[in-house]
Amino acid sequence: MKKSAKLLSMALAASMVLSMAACSGGSGDDKAPAETTTAAGTDATTAAEAEKDAEDKEGNASGETYTVGICQLVQHDALDAATQGFKDALVEALGDAVTFDEQNAQGDSNTCSTIINSFVSADVDLILANATPALQAAQAGTNEIPILGTSVTEYGVALGIDDFGGTVGGNISGTSDLAPLDEQAAMLHELFPDAKKVGLLYCSAEANSQYQVDTVKTALEELGYTCEYYAFSDSNDLSTIVTKAADESDVIYVPTDNTAASNTEIVNNVCQAAGVPVVAGEENICRGCGVATLSISYYDLGVGTGRMAAKILTGEANISEMPIEYAPQFTKKYNASICESLGITVPDDYVAIEE
């Protein structure tokens, strides 16, 4: 019994060995190709992923994003238009690769400094300084981040540069809103040839306003007028000063002045009641209180600044070598309602300001 059982056990063991060998051989023949295919698939997948990673890295390198800080001195139509033109031009050039940190100083130069310092701390890629105090704050705040000014009348005066030649250098450039001051004086003479005394109304806190009235005064005196300065420090004393100017002047000239632009209603209420016409340095002041102006488009000025910014951000241009750019054209415009109120008729080549 034991021997028969042993023989049976050995037979069963041999059968199992043969069965396992057969299974092993069959499995080996089937698996080798499968394993080869799997390895090839893995290699192909890895290669595809590597290629995609390389493409992503290349895309990131060529598709940089930019943050632009915008410091605008105060909210009024001219500065608002310049900011909008700037943003529109940059978005057109760079699409959603550019984002804006837009802040308004509400007419306070100290707030301009605070805003600029926040941009420097955030390490923005470029700063737009809209109006002279904003530009001065930016100049004081950084000599590394590119700064573009706009709505700045005269950069040499604003930045304290003697014998300014048109290029600031360093990290600053931009656009100027200066209309030819001798042509503004000539326009005043064209409209009011019989006037004797011109009052020059401006904010003494704005360096570029002082520059404008000084230049216009020289031109007007050459045309035979007597000129008197009427400087106000801020909106608090504007009513008093403009009342004095209206009492003592035949015509009032208001330069491109941010404080005046924000308070045209005060000027208009005094001057219309007194029957004294105002010739303005820019269109939005004229819309609020003037009879005529030699106008530029602040929106177009902003567009020009935005195109400069795009070249700087993409490395196409070096800001230190970029000269200040000026408005491409000037238009004689008039305020129809105020002209009618004062009984003033303008020549045919003047264009009515849209209400």
Side-chain angles (χ1 to χ4, degrees):
M1 278 293 287
K2 290 183 180 179
K3 185 175 181 180
S4 297
K6 185 175 181 181
L7 289 172
L8 179 60
S9 176
M10 289 177 64
L12 288 172
S15 175
M16 292 177 63
V17 170
L18 289 173
S19 176
M20 291 177 63
C23 290
S24 176
S27 297
D29 290 342
D30 290 340
K31 284 187 177 179
E35 289 174 351
T36 301
T37 302
T38 302
T42 302
D43 291 345
T45 301
T46 303
E49 290 175 349
E51 183 178 357
K52 184 177 184 301
D53 289 343
E55 289 175 354
D56 289 344
K57 290 177 181 178
E58 182 180 355
N60 290 336
S62 62
E64 295 184 38
T65 58
Y66 310 96
T67 300
V68 174
I70 299 175
C71 178
Q72 181 174 316
L73 172 64
V74 66
Q75 185 175 3
H76 63 68
D77 290 346
L79 300 191
D80 292 349
T83 292
Q84 190 61 54
F86 174 81
K87 291 166 62 178
D88 288 350
L90 257 185
V91 170
E92 181 180 356
L94 302 176
D96 58 7
V98 62
T99 57
F100 301 98
D101 183 355
E102 184 177 348
Q103 300 190 40
N104 194 298
Q106 304 300 325
D108 188 343
S109 58
N110 291 326
T111 303
C112 285
S113 297
T114 302
I115 293 170
I116 295 299
N117 288 338
S118 73
F119 292 161
V120 174
S121 297
D123 194 25
V124 299
D125 297 295
L126 184 141
I127 293 172
L128 174 70
N130 192 347
T132 297
L135 178 65
Q136 291 169 333
Q139 179 195 37
T142 178
N143 59 6
E144 296 180 356
I145 297 173
I147 299 166
L148 287 176
T150 194
S151 312
V152 175
T153 303
E154 217 289 326
Y155 281 73
V157 173
L159 300 177
I161 303 172
D162 296 330
D163 301 321
F164 179 62
T167 301
V168 176
N171 65 321
I172 299 176
S173 188
T175 56
S176 169
D177 62 358
L178 180 64
L181 296 172
D182 57 341
E183 293 184 28
Q184 292 185 37
M187 184 180 66
L188 187 150
H189 182 63
E190 178 181 43
L191 295 173
F192 308 105
D194 298 327
K196 302 299 182 183
K197 186 173 181 182
V198 178
L200 306 173
L201 179 69
Y202 68 102
C203 180
S204 58
E206 297 190 33
N208 271 318
S209 295
Q210 183 72 62
Y211 167 79
Q212 291 173 82
V213 294
D214 287 346
T215 305
V216 167
K217 180 175 183 288
T218 299
L220 288 173
E221 287 175 345
E222 290 177 355
L223 293 170
Y225 296 96
T226 299
C227 298
E228 185 71 33
Y229 292 119
Y230 294 92
F232 56 93
S233 58
D234 54 36
S235 60
N236 293 321
D237 63 341
L238 174 57
S239 181
T240 300
I241 299 300
V242 71
T243 298
K244 179 176 174 60
D247 288 343
E248 299 176 356
S249 307
D250 300 316
V251 182
I252 290 175
Y253 172 76
V254 179
T256 301
D257 182 290
N258 289 297
T259 308
S262 299
N263 295 276
T264 56
E265 185 176 0
I266 294 174
V267 178
N268 187 54
N269 287 342
V270 172
C271 291
Q272 268 210 70
V276 177
V278 173
V279 173
E282 63 93 11
E283 180 174 335
N284 290 288
I285 295 176
C286 188
R287 180 181 286 109
C289 65
V291 296
T293 184
L294 189 61
S295 177
I296 68 168
S297 167
Y298 275 82
Y299 179 83
D300 290 347
L301 194 71
V303 168
T305 318
R307 289 172 179 166
M308 294 174 73
K311 292 179 181 179
I312 293 164
L313 291 171
T314 59
E316 183 179 342
N318 183 340
I319 190 171
S320 67
E321 300 172 354
M322 301 177 79
I324 301 303
E325 296 185 7
Y326 294 82
Q329 61 183 17
F330 310 95
T331 305
K332 290 180 179 180
K333 292 193 173 184
Y334 72 101
N335 185 321
S337 62
I338 295 181
C339 283
E340 181 179 359
S341 174
L342 297 179
I344 296 169
T345 301
V346 301
D348 292 340
D349 61 339
Y350 283 64
V351 177
I353 295 173
E354 296 180 2
E355 296 294 335

